[in-house]
Amino acid sequence: MMHAASALSSPAVGRLDATFRKVAGRVVPYIFVCYLFNYLDRVNVGFAKLDMLDALHMSERAYGLGAGIFFLGYIACGVPSNLMLQRVGARRWLALIMVLWGLLSAAQMFVTGPISFYLLRFVTGAAEAGFFPGLVLYLTRWFPSERQGRALTLFMSAIPLSGVVGGPLSGWMLSHFASAPGGLAAWQWLFLLQGLPTVALGIGMVMLLSDTIEQAAWLAPEERMAVGEALRRDRLEQPKQLADSFGAVLRNPAVWMLGLLYFCIQAGVYAINFWLPTIIRSSGIHDAATIGWLSAVPYVGASLFMIVMGRSADRMRERRWHLAVPLLMAAGGLALAARFPDSMPVALGALTVATAGALTGLPMFWPLCSGYLSPAAAAGGLALINSMGQLAGFVSPYLVGWIKDATQRTDGALALLAAMAVLGVVLVLRMPPTRVNR
């Protein structure tokens, strides 16, 4: 089928490209900052653990369960939250999510033991459930499929950047506030100071973003028409949809396969997010600030690799190998880190490769879903796939904690996660190229 842009004259293509750059410049940066704080919430608990466990007399297994129980709330509320977004509009619903989860994240400073930790993690996950699939759905309403890879990569580069920023920031907070007056422990300050900015960002979302192209007063009328026409052409060029309602989504084996594939990707991502500081400390580094700076190294590499792969995937209009190769990198890096857990240079290099591969798999995955979901089914379908993947957020941290308590090492868990990444490669290579080469 003819590429949508090829039907336009060169000057028209240039004007359309300029319009989409304008759209990206308005929409993506704010979403990027919001998602950065979303992932800081995932990173900071891994650092709070370094002090919190001793202060509250919690075990590694209890921490792993608490870190993972967040995702039980997330999974339970993911689909209802995204369906509600359809009813009330993206801006208002996403803003409400951010305000609520920011307050609950800050409230983790009041944790007194395992039970309160579990409870707050669960309700924070429930509050946050619709945020990521809501953002993905929001971007599909502004960018046609041929431009989604780069847009998703740009906003999802907030994930590795949260590690680049969050690692040193969290390590500095633990060191700086260790002797701060006021009666709060350093880990309590960490939760408070990284949770409250999310509330302000949620309020700002209502004022700065538009729900639809038609409401975008910052675009000229002819620019709104051009973007709308590009999106209509894109829908006409989509292959025959396999699911055009949420009921059809539930009956579609391909959608469940996508959920399993996303589970394999997220298993490695969350293991790295929650346990990277612990793995670094296990290699002999004990200063919190140093751990923070070292933990930023894998995320720097991931940031650069993610942007390169996003541009390559859009330029070549290929998705399958652009996902399979990062997953192979994740598997190899995790396996190497498991083989040399006591060597800091080797372990850190291996974890850098694993982090780059696992995190790059996230934006490479989502454009695949457009070939399986019609616009009518997108809200529920994306939320279902995301919820299945987020189950790894419960299984992966708890599994690592259980193995570490049992063996006093993390290498066995890393090897198992490497095998799951290999399973992900098998799944993505089984997908028909004609459906994923978009």
Side-chain angles (χ1 to χ4, degrees), residues 320-398:
R320 193 169 60 155
W321 283 104
H322 280 82
L323 176 55
V325 169
L327 286 178
L328 283 172
M329 290 172 56
L334 289 168
L336 190 61
R339 177 68 178 82
F340 299 99
D342 300 321
S343 172
M344 169 52 64
V346 175
L348 189 61
L351 287 171
T352 299
V353 173
T355 303
L359 292 183
T360 299
L362 297 176
M364 294 298 100
F365 169 80
W366 286 105
L368 304 184
C369 299
S370 63
Y372 293 87
L373 300 169
S374 71
L382 289 174
L384 176 62
I385 292 168
N386 184 59
S387 294
M388 293 172 65
Q390 297 302 333
L391 182 61
F394 173 76
V395 173
S396 180
Y398 182 70

Side-chain angles (χ1 to χ4, degrees), residues 39-313:
Y39 243 79
L40 279 176
D41 182 52
R42 315 286 176 89
V43 173
N44 66 17
V45 72
F47 279 88
K49 165 191 181 290
L50 299 178
D51 285 354
M52 186 175 68
L53 263 61
D54 288 338
L56 302 181
H57 308 292
M58 288 171 56
S59 69
E60 299 279 356
R61 186 183 302 183
Y63 164 74
L65 178 59
I69 210 168
F70 170 98
F71 296 95
L72 296 184
Y74 192 109
I75 292 164
C77 297
V79 173
S81 180
N82 231 37
L83 295 177
M84 184 61 70
L85 179 145
Q86 290 277 69
R87 295 173 62 90
V88 304
R91 277 186 315 156
R92 290 189 292 272
W93 189 248
L94 291 173
L96 178 63
I97 286 174
M98 292 189 69
V99 170
L100 186 56
W101 119 57
L103 292 172
L104 289 169
S105 181
Q108 290 178 93
M109 63 184 289
F110 300 116
V111 165
T112 57
I115 300 302
S116 57
F117 183 52
Y118 299 158
L119 178 62
L120 273 170
R121 290 292 294 172
F122 180 86
V123 295
T124 303
E128 191 182 317
F131 185 67
F132 175 74
L135 289 181
V136 173
L137 181 63
Y138 183 73
L139 286 176
T140 64
R141 294 174 176 176
W142 290 88
F143 297 95
S145 58
E146 66 190 43
R147 300 176 186 266
Q148 287 173 17
R150 188 171 301 183
L152 283 167
T153 298
L154 287 174
F155 110 76
M156 293 185 72
S157 62
I159 300 175
L161 186 61
S162 69
V164 175
V165 175
L169 179 62
S170 298
W172 175 82
M173 286 181 175
L174 289 179
S175 297
H176 180 76
F177 289 100
S179 57
L184 295 180
W187 62 269
Q188 292 174 305
W189 280 109
L190 189 152
F191 281 129
L192 177 64
L193 296 177
Q194 292 189 13
L196 292 184
T198 303
V199 177
L201 287 168
I203 296 170
M205 180 173 284
V206 177
M207 297 182 288
L208 294 175
L209 298 185
S210 306
D211 277 318
T212 64
I213 297 165
E214 292 73 21
Q215 297 172 358
W218 42 272
L219 286 175
E222 61 272 16
E223 291 174 329
R224 291 197 292 270
M225 290 180 60
V227 172
E229 180 60 28
L231 290 169
R232 283 189 290 273
R233 284 197 304 267
D234 183 63
R235 286 193 290 270
L236 291 174
E237 288 189 348
Q238 291 290 344
K240 179 177 174 58
Q241 305 292 342
L242 296 182
D244 58 6
S245 69
F246 188 59
V249 167
L250 294 175
R251 297 188 297 271
N252 185 353
V255 173
W256 293 97
M257 184 196 70
L258 286 168
L260 177 58
L261 171 57
Y262 196 48
F263 178 95
C264 293
I265 298 170
Q266 289 283 33
V269 169
Y270 285 121
I272 293 166
N273 285 344
F274 288 128
W275 289 95
L276 181 58
T278 300
I279 293 169
I280 292 174
R281 186 166 68 175
S282 297
S283 69
I285 307 297
H286 297 286
D287 176 66
T290 303
I291 292 173
W293 284 107
L294 288 174
S295 71
V297 173
Y299 293 104
V300 171
S303 299
L304 299 174
F305 185 67
M306 182 182 287
I307 292 171
V308 170
M309 288 295 282
R311 290 179 175 175
S312 173

